[in-house]
Amino acid sequence: MLVGLSIHDIVLIDRLTLGFDRGLSVLTGETGAGKSILLDALSLALGARADSALVRRGASRGVVAAEFELAADHAAFALLADTVSVEPGEPLVLRRTVQADGRSRAHINDQPVSAGLLRQVGERLVEIHGQHDERGLLNPKGHRTLLDLFAGHGDLLDRVATAHRDRRAAADAVAAIEAELAAARADEDYLRHALDELEALAPEPGEEAQLALTRTTLMQGERLASDLAEYAGELEADGGVDATVRGLLRRMERLDEAARARLDPVMTALDRAAIEMGEAMAALDSLRHDLDHDPAALERAEERLFELRAMARKHQVQPDDLAALKDRFAERLAAVDRGDADLTAARAALADADQTLDRAVGDLRRSRAAAADALATAVNAELPDLKLDKARFRVALTPLDPAHWSADGGDGVAFEVATNPGADFGPLIKIASGGELARFILALKVSLARQNTVATLVFDEVDRGIGGATADAVGERLARLAAAAQVLVVTHSPQVAARGRQHWRIAKRTDADSTATTVEALDDRARREEIARMLSGAEVTDAARQAADSLMTR
């Protein structure tokens, strides 16, 4: 509930701090005293549009702060969870600052927030109802939610939401299969040809790298074989180095003994060279024999490698992706082959989902129709005492085209009134006059009291243009509402003021230099005088005081 309101430099208010209690609080004062300023200030703190005209003349800025105490599970805390550091259950302070040039800033618990977020939080804390208010009960967008709260059929709403989600998923599945099938059929000839090519090629992941390595190895073997043949040819030229050395040795062996003795070191070295040369030639021959050079294998490796790379270029993929591409093409063709069966099954599932949703929407519609009758009966029962005995209220339930069904069902809901016998029903905001509108809202709020979703209700001159028994009926209903929620009411009616648990008097003070609005909390004696003034006018009489006593002691 609202526990405090602080106002600085707003219109005619210099500095003002108010504390509010539970139950019914009334604000009274003479016409023009500035009662609307308080509501404008509260609205500003709740996120209403900022206007430089709200800043008191001569001030650089105006500031309004509203403090609320809420249950830990209040919806405002969930809304703030991701933006403002606040513990559920701790007080919330909504503050708005308006500069003289019209710029504004918004804070919640001293943390800066957007004006939009401030407004969303404010809507969950306070409802302000006045003759020209077009939000809350007057906004058709919220009528369906209010009717559902009144009906209390949350289980039906859950059924519809689930059925609608399942139906949407089934419809998406049908659309996806149809699109895939259409695309596959459009490319079927191409897919079959491409798949035939890829299956004939039979690519494997990693095959390109392996073929490239094999090709490099084989090419190196080919070059080495050529080099070895050249080496052998040079060593074997002109009979070969080995034959030349051994020929020299045979010639030296034919020399006389003395010559051989002198050439012995040479002959020993040549003999050793001949042996080693023979070993070298044998090793060279063995290496040439052992070298695995297969020109046909190199040709096969190159041909396979070039085929893979050409196919990859054709399909604009990497060679290693060809195997996966083949599988995708095969799956798309399989989708064509099984597409009709899959589509038939998906359409059958969609038909089942449609039936389930249709049943859920029908059950919810019947429950809404019963709740609409009950709400209309409750509201119409309130109207005679509120001097609206010729008026009629109804809840118009309009079936929507299935194409416009949502998780909230398939019904349009609107609160409508007819103010005179034989007159057509129409929206509250268009049919009822200012005074009638406020009383219609009161009748609705009383009928919906158990489903009230905000902690604080504000009524601005709900008793305008009425008096006597009708004003007393308004006061009685406001008091009834205050049993379940905090209610603030700006009133000119003594019958309504007398019902208040807390009473504030608003006055305008004027001197030679300035005009200011003041607000005074009244004790029982001051309340008696204020209610007597409201009864008698400018001159308070003893009879008016006695009448005030009578009203206050009911």
Side-chain angles (χ1 to χ4, degrees):
M1 71 171 188
L2 177 66
V3 296
L5 183 64
S6 175
I7 306 173
H8 293 173
D9 294 327
I10 296 294
V11 193
L12 299 178
I13 298 176
D14 176 13
R15 191 173 293 266
L16 178 65
T17 300
L18 303 177
F20 295 95
D21 295 333
R22 297 183 182 277
L24 179 61
S25 295
V26 298
L27 297 91
T28 63
E30 295 182 353
T31 300
K35 296 185 291 296
S36 63
I37 297 175
L38 287 178
L39 298 188
D40 289 342
L42 176 59
S43 297
L44 186 64
L46 297 174
R49 182 177 178 275
D51 190 334
S52 61
L54 292 172
V55 181
R56 188 173 62 89
R57 179 179 297 179
S60 62
R61 64 178 185 173
V63 182
V64 183
E67 180 178 356
F68 295 86
E69 290 183 355
L70 307 168
D73 60 352
H74 194 281
F77 293 113
L79 183 62
L80 294 172
D82 297 330
T83 54
V84 175
S85 177
V86 57
E87 290 295 326
E90 73 173 277
L92 281 186
V93 178
L94 278 60
R95 177 162 54 88
R96 192 78 173 279
T97 302
V98 183
Q99 305 292 335
D101 61 6
R103 292 177 300 153
S104 71
R105 290 178 297 165
H107 293 79
I108 295 180
N109 285 21
D110 290 326
Q111 300 171 62
V113 298
S114 67
L117 178 59
L118 188 73
R119 182 168 55 254
Q120 291 180 54
V121 173
E123 289 172 349
R124 286 160 174 78
L125 300 178
V126 179
E127 281 185 10
I128 299 178
H129 298 289
Q131 295 184 38
H132 306 292
D133 179 46
E134 295 186 7
R135 299 172 300 170
L137 294 177
L138 300 184
N139 186 350
K141 292 181 179 179
H143 291 174
R144 183 167 56 193
T145 299
L146 289 170
L147 178 63
D148 289 337
L149 287 170
F150 179 81
H153 46 214
D155 56 334
L156 291 177
L157 288 169
D158 290 341
R159 274 184 55 201
V160 169
T162 299
H164 182 265
R165 183 179 63 249
D166 292 346
R167 194 269 172 198
R168 184 171 55 190
D172 289 344
V174 168
I177 292 174
E178 288 178 339
E180 183 179 356
L181 191 56
R185 282 177 174 162
D187 297 335
E188 184 175 1
D189 290 341
Y190 164 75
L191 288 174
R192 293 198 184 279
H193 174 72
L195 182 59
D196 288 343
E197 284 186 332
L198 287 169
E199 286 179 337
L201 184 63
E204 297 291 340
E207 187 179 5
E208 183 206 20
Q210 185 59 47
L211 285 170
L213 178 61
T214 300
R215 176 174 179 259
T216 299
T217 302
L218 290 174
M219 291 178 67
Q220 290 174 344
E222 182 181 35
R223 286 195 297 270
L224 181 56
S226 176
D227 291 342
L228 291 178
E230 182 180 345
Y231 300 156
E234 291 181 4
L235 289 172
E236 293 172 352
D238 300 324
V241 175
D242 179 62
T244 300
V245 171
R246 291 199 179 277
L248 287 173
L249 283 172
R250 284 193 297 272
R251 290 170 60 189
M252 290 178 182
E253 286 175 351
R254 290 196 292 268
L255 294 174
D256 59 41
E257 185 176 348
R260 287 200 309 272
R262 297 188 66 179
L263 289 174
D264 187 60
V266 175
M267 293 176 65
T268 300
L270 286 174
D271 185 56
R272 187 170 58 249
I275 293 171
E276 290 182 355
M277 182 58 66
E279 291 176 352
M281 290 298 295
L284 183 58
D285 288 341
S286 176
L287 182 59
R288 291 175 63 191
H289 182 270
D290 292 340
L291 186 62
D292 184 16
H293 167 58
D294 184 357
L298 175 59
E299 184 178 352
R300 287 193 300 270
E302 287 185 333
E303 182 179 350
R304 176 69 176 175
L305 181 62
F306 296 157
E307 284 180 348
L308 284 174
R309 289 176 174 174
M311 188 67 72
R313 286 194 299 273
K314 179 178 180 179
H315 293 288
Q316 298 182 349
V317 297
Q318 295 299 316
D320 280 349
D321 295 332
L322 287 172
L325 180 65
K326 175 174 70 70
D327 292 341
R328 287 200 299 273
F329 285 170
E331 176 58 30
R332 289 177 64 182
L333 283 171
V336 174
D337 296 335
R338 68 171 183 267
D340 289 336
D342 288 350
L343 186 57
T344 298
R347 285 173 174 168
L350 177 57
D352 289 342
D354 279 331
Q355 291 179 3
T356 300
L357 179 59
D358 187 70
R359 287 192 297 269
V361 167
D363 291 343
L364 179 59
R365 178 171 297 150
R366 284 185 287 275
S367 180
R368 279 175 172 162
D373 290 342
L375 179 58
T377 298
V379 173
N380 285 322
E382 299 289 337
L383 298 182
D385 288 344
L386 296 175
K387 203 177 179 180
L388 294 169
D389 48 297
K390 295 181 180 180
R392 292 165 295 148
F393 171 85
R394 76 175 183 185
V395 180
L397 203 64
T398 306
L400 301 177
D401 185 277
H404 296 137
W405 288 2
S406 70
D408 296 316
D411 309 299
V413 178
F415 296 162
E416 297 181 343
V417 298
T419 54
N420 294 296
D424 292 333
F425 280 91
L428 276 170
I429 191 66
K430 294 183 178 180
I431 300 298
S433 64
E436 291 173 335
L437 191 58
R439 280 175 279 147
F440 270 118
I441 289 173
L442 179 59
L444 267 168
K445 290 305 298 184
V446 169
S447 301
L448 294 167
R450 288 180 304 158
Q451 290 74 35
N452 185 51
T453 58
V454 296
T456 302
L457 302 172
V458 179
F459 290 89
D460 183 13
E461 298 187 1
V462 68
D463 51 6
R464 178 183 289 271
I466 59 173
T470 303
D472 188 58
V474 169
E476 186 274 332
R477 282 154 178 79
L478 289 169
R480 200 192 311 170
L481 276 178
Q486 182 186 45
V487 178
L488 279 63
V489 57
V490 175
T491 180
H492 291 283
S493 168
Q495 291 89 345
V496 173
R499 299 270 185 176
R501 176 178 176 181
Q502 188 178 32
H503 193 150
W504 303 88
R505 179 171 60 204
I506 303 170
K508 184 186 294 184
R509 184 186 67 247
T510 303
D511 57 30
D513 299 321
S514 64
T515 300
T517 292
T518 61
V519 181
E520 178 186 3
L522 305 182
D523 57 20
D524 287 344
R525 187 171 181 277
R527 284 188 65 209
R528 176 176 180 257
E529 287 297 305
E530 174 66 3
I531 293 172
R533 180 198 65 77
M534 296 171 73
L535 286 165
S536 64
E539 183 178 350
V540 178
T541 64
D542 289 339
R545 292 187 178 94
Q546 291 177 1
D549 287 336
S550 177
L551 290 175
M552 292 172 63
T553 55
R554 285 176 305 170

